Amino acid sequence: MLKLLTQYACQSCGAIFPRWQGQCATCEEWNTLEEEQVAKSPKSLPLMLAKKERVPIALKDVIVGDELAFPTGISELDHVLGGGLIKGSATLLGGEPGIGKSTLSLQVAQHLAISGLRVLYVSGEESVGQLHMRAARVGQVHPNLMVYAELDILKIIQALRTTKPDVVILDSIQVVFHPGIASVSGTVNQVRQCAQELITYVKEQDMAVVLIGHITKDGQLAGPKVLEHIVDVILYLEGERDQHYRLLRCFKNRFSTTSEIGIFEMKPTGLEGIANPSGLFMDERTLNSPGALVSALSEGSRVLLVEIQALVVDSGYGMAKRTFLGVDINRANLMIAALEKLLGFRLSTKDIILNVVGGIKIIEPALDLAMMLAIVSSLKDQSVGQKVGFFGEVGLTGEIRPVSNAEKRVLELEKMGFDYVMLPEKNHSACQGKQIKPIYVSHVREAVTYFLRGFEG
Ligand SMILES: Nc1ncnc2c1ncn2[C@@H]1O[C@H](COP(=O)(O)OP(=O)(O)OP(=O)(O)O)[C@@H](O)[C@H]1O
Ligand SMILES: [Mg+2]
């Protein structure tokens, strides 16, 4: 019989404590410690994995096959992954409930099966009947695709041993459990142990594994940080659930860059990639309204045009309210402070609401100039009136700093029919030989003065 030991694990960072305490001493989060029962010695856990003996080897003698990656056949996903799922790798796909993680994974499973690979889709959340219904909705049900509704990780590993798939998808890591651990599914201990056992096995067998993970209400992956360390790739699917568009971002990739994003549209037949997303995140009709401006953002090898909207109104309460959706809160506060301090706008008595159209989240500083001028535009009730794109980073002293990939941004604006672009003075080489009319600015004062004067003439 297993001897059990009681310990307290932080559900945020995974730190272990012998006694309960209100605040985790490692990550300083409050009320995150939960009681767990663990086997006294790791040896007393059922030893399921017969590990391969390994010996040190000269790097030049390592034999690598020709086919290193399994292209998923979903071009937007392959674009983010840098080719496809790498053999012997573990990928974590996170996202909010209902965002489309299972849909995307099942589409990947179907594409891989059609390309001749053996795929096992393990679902702890849906029955095989539900999986069949969804699979039939998003594509053809291929004989190479096997499904397994199971929660016990040891049984899942046993199934891998018998079915020998090339790719395994686990939906989701938070619902499976290890029978050797007394705590409930989804706790740090369970998630860590299940992920470790599964990943160790699939890596030894050169399979590729995709783990689906839930995220908590503040946008973090539920489960221990250690999970983020043991996987090779971390992908997040994001977007507004009531909107059709979904963004796939990469937060970690041991095999390729993390700067590429994938853009999908949720359709009845599943998630469909959008190869040319420019213009998705703006609405031509609102561009003549005060407070609405377009910026050009660089996301990996692509440029996205996004519309930022600001609404500035007199505050009805004692304290002015700030509501920021899709923009970086710190940068938004910085813009408001700069407008107050450097240009003398009185914003402390105004409620300010900022929103990026289409549910996209932007942290790029190149949005600064558009964000600042959107606030001025709403405050002064003055629309842009022309097709103008804005980009540039704003510094604390009001200087407008150059941004990377300026030429690509200018080209995209020109391609989308924009007549003017307001950009940092130091990026002037980006406009050479272009039709679009540049307006160079080096300080916020210049930018605001130009904006209020108007673009006509
Ligand atoms: N018949 C349908 N037609 C169109 N869209 C559908 C249909 N059924 C489901 N969807 C879309 O799929 C989404 C659910 O996707 P999915 O189940 O893949 O999400 P998930 O991220 O796996 O969620 P969870 O974390 O709850 O498992 C729904 O929000 C809906 O937009
Ligand atoms: Mg799901």
Side-chain angles (χ1 to χ4, degrees), residues 96-103 125 134 137 246 266-268:
E96 286 180 18
I99 204 79
K101 303 177 294 294
S102 307
T103 307
E125 299 191 342
R134 193 202 296 266
R137 178 164 60 87
R246 303 282 188 271
M266 181 58 97
K267 294 205 165 164

Side-chain angles (χ1 to χ4, degrees), residues 97-103 121 123 125-126 134 171-172 212 214:
I99 204 79
K101 303 177 294 294
S102 307
T103 307
Y121 190 103
S123 180
E125 299 191 342
E126 287 157 298
R134 193 202 296 266
D171 188 1
S172 68
I212 295 178
H214 296 167

Side-chain angles (χ1 to χ4, degrees), residues 248-441:
L248 187 69
R249 287 188 192 274
C250 186
F251 279 79
K252 166 181 173 177
N253 195 340
R254 285 187 175 147
F255 316 108
S256 182
T257 164
T258 54
S259 59
E260 299 293 349
I261 61 164
I263 299 171
F264 296 91
E265 185 175 356
M266 181 58 97
K267 294 205 165 164
T269 49
L271 285 160
E272 199 171 288
I274 301 173
N276 188 11
S278 229
L280 275 188
F281 301 101
M282 58 181 209
D283 185 347
E284 299 261 337
R285 289 164 306 173
T286 55
L287 291 182
N288 280 327
S289 314
L293 261 71
V294 171
S295 188
L297 300 177
S298 173
E299 293 279 2
S301 56
R302 289 199 289 216
V303 171
L304 282 184
L305 301 193
V306 296
E307 178 179 333
I308 174 147
Q309 299 182 338
L311 191 60
V312 181
V313 287
D314 286 336
S315 181
Y317 303 97
M319 211 172 80
K321 267 198 303 193
R322 305 281 183 248
T323 309
F324 304 138
L325 302 165
V327 297
D328 183 1
I329 295 171
N330 294 329
R331 300 214 72 84
N333 279 323
L334 198 151
M335 292 310 108
I336 295 169
L339 282 172
E340 288 226 339
K341 175 83 181 168
L342 304 169
L343 300 169
F345 286 100
R346 286 183 54 86
L347 296 169
S348 53
T349 54
K350 307 278 184 193
D351 286 347
I352 300 178
I353 304 152
L354 288 172
N355 179 37
V356 178
V357 171
I360 176 171
K361 294 185 184 72
I362 300 166
I363 46 165
E364 222 205 346
L367 182 71
D368 288 358
L369 185 61
M371 186 155 45
M372 173 176 270
L373 292 177
I375 296 171
V376 173
S377 169
S378 175
L379 182 73
K380 298 284 177 188
D381 213 14
Q382 184 177 325
S383 64
V384 186
Q386 292 280 334
K387 285 199 90 178
V388 193
F390 301 83
F391 65 84
E393 178 181 345
V394 174
L396 288 187
T397 60
E399 81 278 16
I400 296 188
R401 298 159 61 161
V403 297
S404 58
N405 293 330
E407 189 167 1
K408 271 194 186 169
R409 298 177 206 248
V410 172
L411 272 173
E412 192 65 31
L413 284 165
E414 192 172 83
K415 201 178 95 193
M416 294 300 287
F418 278 70
D419 302 313
Y420 298 87
V421 53
M422 186 182 277
L423 73 165
E425 171 91 69
K426 288 197 175 143
N427 279 132
H428 67 271
S429 59
C431 291
Q432 274 167 11
K434 311 279 189 309
Q435 295 286 317
I436 192 166
K437 295 184 195 81
I439 300 148
Y440 301 116
V441 283

